[in-house]
Amino acid sequence: MTSANGNAAGQPKDTPLFHLQGIRFQRQGRDIIPPLDLSLQRGKVYGLIGLNGSGKSTLLNLLARQLAPSSGSLLFEGKSLEGYGDKELARRLAYMPQFTPPADGMTVTDLVALGRFAWHGTLGRFSKSDDEMVHSALAATGLLTYASRPVDSLSGGERQRAWLAMMVAQDTGCLLLDEPTSALDIPHQVEMLQLVRRLSRERGLSAIVVLHDINMAARLADQLIALEQGRVIAAGPPEDVMREDVLARIYGLDMGIFNHPDTGAPIGFVK
């Protein structure tokens, strides 16, 4: 049984969102993710950072069940991830890939309505509750005025918001996003990440987001997790990771830090 936002009913509040023990992923006999232990808590926004090839997207795809681990134990809300049925998992976890598929002929409303599939099924009728969830998702992402627009007519930033709205309509407790800002200019990057942050706060959502820009990640996340060759080499709140020695280890560059003049938040730069 699930609650309205997709969390498992009856689970203790301190049950981790994800608990990985000895998780390993191999491709052609090579470790992409060596045996990894990791625990992620509910209600937090995590930023996965690191260089290209560090294993960020692979780890996210394991969490999203897009890939199967070669060995180890992966629990989601206290239950083996492999033990969930497809519909049950889709009611608890929403995933946005790095490259979203085309939405040929779809309007924004059509796309967002796909988020309700796990709740009414292929032959199920689209209910008043489904309509309300779609409308709520459009409103939450600022897309009500775009509802009848073809998805393919939208700008990159608007299209990413439409996919995020579909995830919101899915009404899960957890969002997994793989580089959602990679094709966006800076204003739309900021807009997208602010939206994820706001939705997490307002709706109590957990989110795990793969990002390249360390400063954007620090701005978004409650916790940063830095990977190198599939291993966690730094983890903690942004103020603990945003240090010269830690950034130098993550990126292999001589990095400096200064504080934002208004917020005091640490900002990294290459010396």
Side-chain angles (χ1 to χ4, degrees):
M1 182 176 179
T2 60
S3 64
N5 68 355
N7 289 332
Q11 286 287 349
K13 290 183 178 180
D14 58 352
T15 299
L17 178 71
F18 286 100
H19 183 69
L20 289 67
Q21 188 169 7
I23 280 294
R24 185 179 201 172
F25 181 75
Q26 293 182 311
R27 183 177 286 129
Q28 297 179 339
R30 183 172 71 89
D31 276 344
I32 307 301
I33 303 286
L36 174 66
D37 296 337
L38 186 64
S39 190
L40 306 178
Q41 303 306 310
R42 301 184 194 190
K44 293 185 180 296
V45 178
Y46 288 91
L48 297 183
I49 59 174
L51 296 174
N52 286 341
S54 62
K56 304 183 300 297
S57 291
T58 300
L59 177 57
L60 194 79
N61 277 279
L62 288 169
L63 300 180
R65 211 169 70 178
Q66 301 297 304
L67 295 173
S70 304
S71 60
S73 169
L74 202 173
L75 302 182
F76 174 55
E77 295 188 337
K79 175 180 174 179
S80 171
L81 187 63
E82 289 303 310
Y84 287 93
D86 290 342
K87 184 179 291 188
E88 181 187 12
L89 186 63
R91 291 182 175 187
R92 298 185 184 184
L93 184 155
Y95 166 68
M96 181 192 290
Q98 182 177 353
F99 302 106
T100 53
D104 296 337
M106 284 189 178
T107 67
V108 171
T109 297
D110 293 335
L111 177 64
V112 176
L114 291 179
R116 301 304 302 160
F117 177 79
W119 295 95
H120 66 77
T122 304
L123 300 178
R125 300 185 63 180
F126 207 76
S127 67
K128 180 180 179 181
S129 175
D130 291 321
D131 282 327
E132 290 172 349
M133 288 301 305
V134 169
H135 184 274
S136 175
L138 290 168
T141 52
L143 289 172
L144 283 175
T145 58
Y146 297 80
S148 60
R149 289 267 303 272
V151 174
D152 291 340
S153 73
L154 303 179
S155 69
E158 292 162 351
R159 192 177 300 115
Q160 289 295 79
R161 274 197 286 148
W163 281 95
L164 182 58
M166 184 186 74
M167 297 172 77
V168 173
Q170 199 170 326
D171 196 25
T172 73
C174 178
L175 308 179
L176 304 180
L177 300 100
D178 192 357
E179 297 191 37
T181 62
S182 61
L184 305 182
D185 55 29
I186 290 177
H188 285 109
Q189 289 181 35
V190 172
E191 177 187 68
M192 183 68 175
L193 296 183
Q194 285 178 336
L195 182 54
V196 172
R197 180 82 179 179
R198 177 172 62 79
L199 290 170
S200 172
R201 292 295 176 264
E202 291 178 355
R203 298 181 176 229
L205 301 177
S206 309
I208 304 169
V209 188
V210 172
L211 291 167
H212 274 292
D213 188 315
I214 180 61
N215 292 314
M216 290 287 189
R219 180 187 181 112
L220 166 75
D222 300 306
Q223 298 277 323
L224 296 175
I225 299 172
L227 297 179
E228 180 183 64
Q229 296 181 344
R231 297 178 175 86
V232 176
I233 58 171
E239 58 269 23
D240 290 350
V241 176
M242 296 291 287
R243 303 198 326 252
E244 292 186 2
D245 59 329
V246 178
L247 294 184
R249 183 181 179 192
I250 296 170
Y251 295 107
L253 294 170
D254 190 10
M255 302 281 288
I257 298 288
F258 69 91
N259 293 325
H260 191 285
D262 294 326
T263 67
I267 297 174
F269 65 94
V270 179
K271 290 184 177 178

